Amino acid sequence: MLLSKEQLDRYREDGFLLVESALDEREVTALRDAFARDCEVPGPQRVVEEDGTRVRAVYASHQRQPEFAGLTRDARVLQPVRQLLTDDVYVYQFKINAKPAFGGERWSWHQDYVAWRVADALPAPRQVNVGVLLDDVNEFNGPVIFVPGSHRAGLVRDDRSDAARSEQHLDPDDIALSPEQLEAMVSSHGMTSPKGPAGSLVFFSPEIVHGSAPNMSPFPRRLLLMTYNDTANLPSWAGEPRPEYVVCRDTTPLRPLDGPFLDRAGHVPALEGAAL
Amino acid sequence: MLLSKEQLDRYREDGFLLVESALDEREVTALRDAFARDCEVPGPQRVVEEDGTRVRAVYASHQRQPEFAGLTRDARVLQPVRQLLTDDVYVYQFKINAKPAFGGERWSWHQDYVAWRVADALPAPRQVNVGVLLDDVNEFNGPVIFVPGSHRAGLVRDDRSDAARSEQHLDPDDIALSPEQLEAMVSSHGMTSPKGPAGSLVFFSPEIVHGSAPNMSPFPRRLLLMTYNDTANLPSWAGEPRPEYVVCRDTTPLRPLDGPFLDRAGHVPALEGAAL
């Protein structure tokens, strides 16, 4: 899948782009099943809710489940990322957020790249995020909210505070925009939240200001997030690096699959080899 | 203003009805100014946020500010209420909620009448609520969310627990629907939230299931709420009655003004007399 010139322009202008129903129902079901499987794998990559039972997020599922490994290279995802960024990209971070019914944390308004620069010394905002809706997203179940065009202002909060720097898992509050900063942003740009059926994709900039409302609905809302980084823009650490499940170490440039990821997932050993 | 047959049918069917821009800009400004004035009046009718400074809600402003006294009798509000309920109605409760930027509490899913039956022994759900949007309401600033048609099921949670009964100010959590109850409701009815410009009116049933998301925006969102009750359906208390600012004691049937409330607000003494 290649983005049209109009789509590319819209991404540059707004800082995000919604592609509805890029994946079909069978594919979404397979990804949900793979997520359920991955939620059973114990380890620090699995973050549970305060109640200790429900899984809130899982990192690096593409290192364990062949469906996700395939997805990271599916042409519908990877081709647009290469158009938007550069030919040589790899997965810097992979996570799935399960926002439970009636809640889920509310994320403060922030820009992703602030966190990555502080935590991983990423030299430049040479990333593209891809969100994959694993459930239908509507205004009630905690959609991501963007301030469209806010990425064009660069970093609003240029924070290298010790509070943020010391965290292995960055707390969004540590990198949150101030009320005054957000008020100015929203006054000129407004707010918008892409919604769509499960299987839709949202490409978005590492510099776009965004937040997320709680899930007011009685149904969970699962969102898969892949961050691709330019292989010429690698992280480095003066002290302890962040764990490998948070910041992936395999920086081999990814090449698109020649067919949909599910058709290839049956051939896992041939497909992924040592990368799994 | 009289509601059309189609509007009346929609209220019966959905449990709520949105009338956009019923009040004009000048009227909205006057109401906002009156609210700001009323926020300065000390007393238990003024509820402040946990930070102790910002006002979260004010009760019974129509007993202090002539604009609100007039509004309760404005034909655009009172005539529809009389159509929906009965000719003889009075204001049972009057409050203004100011949902501050970046927050405001999230209200659990509930039915108003459960609270009023528990707290005030109101015999029947013979009320109509009228919400007046004092700010533009959109999906981001904490709109009220309805489960349309849920009022037709009667009371889902028929709760007379001591926890709820003992509260002077009912905590919505004490009368909240369970997750299972809401899941069943939403599966069959869905969710919807009326939005519109400031000055819009939302009429809604005391039995409709509703909740409210937090305000994710950097701007406050003020909502005026008037509950009209049938004068043949009065509250009573075995023990201590709730305070007069929460449950108004003047049950004289209201008659509509013969002009917009602002044109009459200049004549306050003649208009309101002892009621102020």
Side-chain angles (χ1 to χ4, degrees):
Chain A
M1 184 179 87
L2 285 175
L3 299 180
S4 67
K5 176 164 184 316
E6 193 203 329
Q7 287 176 308
L8 292 169
D9 287 348
R10 198 173 316 149
Y11 180 93
R12 310 270 182 230
E13 177 74 16
D14 295 341
F16 74 95
L17 178 73
L18 172 68
V19 179
E20 286 199 36
S21 304
L23 308 183
D24 66 26
E25 216 174 292
R26 189 178 70 108
E27 293 174 311
V28 170
T29 302
L31 294 176
R32 287 177 182 164
D33 291 348
F35 177 51
R37 265 194 334 264
D38 209 43
C39 283
E40 300 299 315
V41 179
Q45 84 288 347
R46 189 178 64 173
V47 183
V48 295
E49 291 284 339
E50 275 166 27
D51 64 14
T53 57
R54 295 180 297 182
V55 171
R56 186 206 294 179
V58 175
Y59 284 86
S61 301
H62 67 306
Q63 295 174 354
R64 291 175 300 275
Q65 309 298 338
E67 294 87 344
F68 296 127
L71 181 68
T72 63
R73 294 174 56 199
D74 192 284
R76 288 165 290 181
V77 172
L78 188 53
Q79 289 286 41
V81 170
R82 285 156 48 109
Q83 284 178 282
L84 293 167
L85 201 53
T86 179
D87 272 357
D88 290 344
V89 299
Y90 72 99
V91 173
Y92 164 75
Q93 189 169 86
F94 185 109
K95 67 182 168 209
I96 301 173
N97 286 332
K99 189 170 267 196
F102 304 112
E105 76 276 50
R106 176 173 47 183
W107 286 77
S108 302
W109 293 91
H110 69 284
Q111 295 172 296
D112 288 342
Y113 177 61
V114 175
W116 300 332
R117 197 175 75 165
V118 169
D120 307 320
L122 267 196
R126 301 273 304 152
Q127 298 84 39
V128 168
N129 293 303
V130 186
V132 182
L133 313 191
L134 297 183
D135 291 291
D136 297 350
V137 169
N138 57 45
E139 67 186 273
F140 305 116
N141 63 359
V144 178
I145 307 172
F146 293 118
V147 179
S150 57
H151 65 300
R152 284 184 272 118
L155 294 194
V156 178
R157 174 167 174 172
D158 189 359
D159 196 336
R160 293 168 172 277
S161 73
D162 289 337
R165 196 198 290 269
S166 66
E167 296 281 347
Q168 286 275 316
H169 293 278
L170 284 165
D171 182 339
D173 280 332
D174 290 335
I175 56 164
L177 270 67
S178 72
E180 295 72 26
Q181 287 168 333
L182 189 65
E183 190 176 321
M185 277 280 174
V186 172
S187 294
S188 46
H189 296 292
M191 292 184 285
T192 187
S193 68
K195 305 170 196 83
S200 300
L201 306 178
V202 185
F203 299 87
F204 62 99
S205 158
E207 294 187 286
I208 193 167
V209 173
H210 61 290
S212 170
N215 181 359
M216 292 292 297
S217 86
F219 311 108
R221 189 231 58 180
R222 293 158 288 188
L223 177 67
L224 189 160
L225 284 166
M226 297 179 281
T227 301
Y228 292 85
N229 186 31
D230 184 342
T231 58
N233 186 57
L234 298 183
S236 63
W237 296 276
E240 181 79 13
R242 290 208 292 168
E244 211 260 329
Y245 62 87
V246 176
V247 182
C248 305
R249 301 296 199 272
D250 183 351
T251 64
T252 316
L254 295 169
R255 299 298 168 224
L257 300 179
D258 57 11
F261 71 92
L262 265 198
D263 299 347
R264 302 299 307 271
H267 312 281
V268 177
L271 172 66
E272 291 303 325
L276 281 174
Chain B
M1 184 180 86
L2 284 176
L3 299 180
S4 67
K5 176 164 184 314
E6 193 204 328
Q7 287 176 307
L8 291 169
D9 287 347
R10 198 174 315 149
Y11 181 93
R12 309 272 182 229
E13 177 73 17
D14 295 340
F16 73 94
L17 178 73
L18 172 68
V19 179
E20 285 198 36
S21 304
L23 308 183
D24 67 26
E25 214 173 296
R26 190 178 67 108
E27 292 173 312
V28 169
T29 302
L31 293 176
R32 288 176 181 164
D33 291 348
F35 176 51
R37 263 194 336 263
D38 209 43
C39 284
E40 300 299 315
V41 179
Q45 83 288 347
R46 190 178 65 173
V47 182
V48 294
E49 292 285 339
E50 275 167 27
D51 66 12
T53 57
R54 294 179 299 182
V55 171
R56 185 206 295 179
V58 175
Y59 284 85
S61 301
H62 67 308
Q63 295 175 353
R64 291 176 300 275
Q65 308 298 336
E67 293 87 342
F68 296 126
L71 181 67
T72 63
R73 293 174 56 197
D74 192 284
R76 289 165 290 181
V77 172
L78 188 54
Q79 289 285 41
V81 170
R82 285 157 48 110
Q83 284 178 281
L84 292 168
L85 200 55
T86 180
D87 273 358
D88 289 344
V89 298
Y90 72 98
V91 173
Y92 164 74
Q93 189 169 85
F94 185 109
K95 67 182 167 210
I96 301 173
N97 286 332
K99 190 169 267 195
F102 304 113
E105 76 276 49
R106 176 173 48 183
W107 286 77
S108 301
W109 293 91
H110 69 283
Q111 295 172 296
D112 288 342
Y113 176 61
V114 175
W116 299 332
R117 197 175 74 164
V118 169
D120 306 321
L122 267 196
R126 301 273 304 150
Q127 298 84 40
V128 169
N129 293 303
V130 186
V132 182
L133 313 190
L134 296 183
D135 291 291
D136 296 351
V137 169
N138 58 44
E139 66 185 274
F140 305 116
N141 63 359
V144 178
I145 307 172
F146 292 118
V147 179
S150 57
H151 65 300
R152 284 184 272 117
L155 294 194
V156 179
R157 175 166 174 172
D158 189 359
D159 196 337
R160 292 169 172 278
S161 73
D162 289 338
R165 199 198 288 270
S166 67
E167 295 282 345
Q168 287 276 315
H169 293 276
L170 284 165
D171 182 340
D173 281 331
D174 290 334
I175 56 165
L177 270 66
S178 72
E180 295 73 25
Q181 287 169 335
L182 189 65
E183 191 176 319
M185 277 280 173
V186 172
S187 294
S188 47
H189 296 294
M191 292 184 282
T192 189
S193 67
K195 306 171 195 81
S200 300
L201 306 178
V202 185
F203 298 87
F204 62 100
S205 158
E207 294 187 284
I208 194 168
V209 173
H210 61 289
S212 171
N215 182 359
M216 292 293 297
S217 85
F219 312 107
R221 189 231 58 180
R222 292 157 289 187
L223 176 66
L224 189 160
L225 284 166
M226 298 180 280
T227 301
Y228 292 86
N229 186 32
D230 183 343
T231 58
N233 185 57
L234 298 183
S236 62
W237 297 275
E240 181 80 11
R242 291 207 291 167
E244 211 260 329
Y245 62 86
V246 176
V247 183
C248 305
R249 300 297 198 274
D250 184 350
T251 63
T252 316
L254 295 169
R255 299 298 168 225
L257 300 179
D258 57 10
F261 70 93
L262 264 198
D263 298 348
R264 304 298 307 270
H267 311 281
V268 177
L271 171 66
E272 291 302 327
L276 279 174

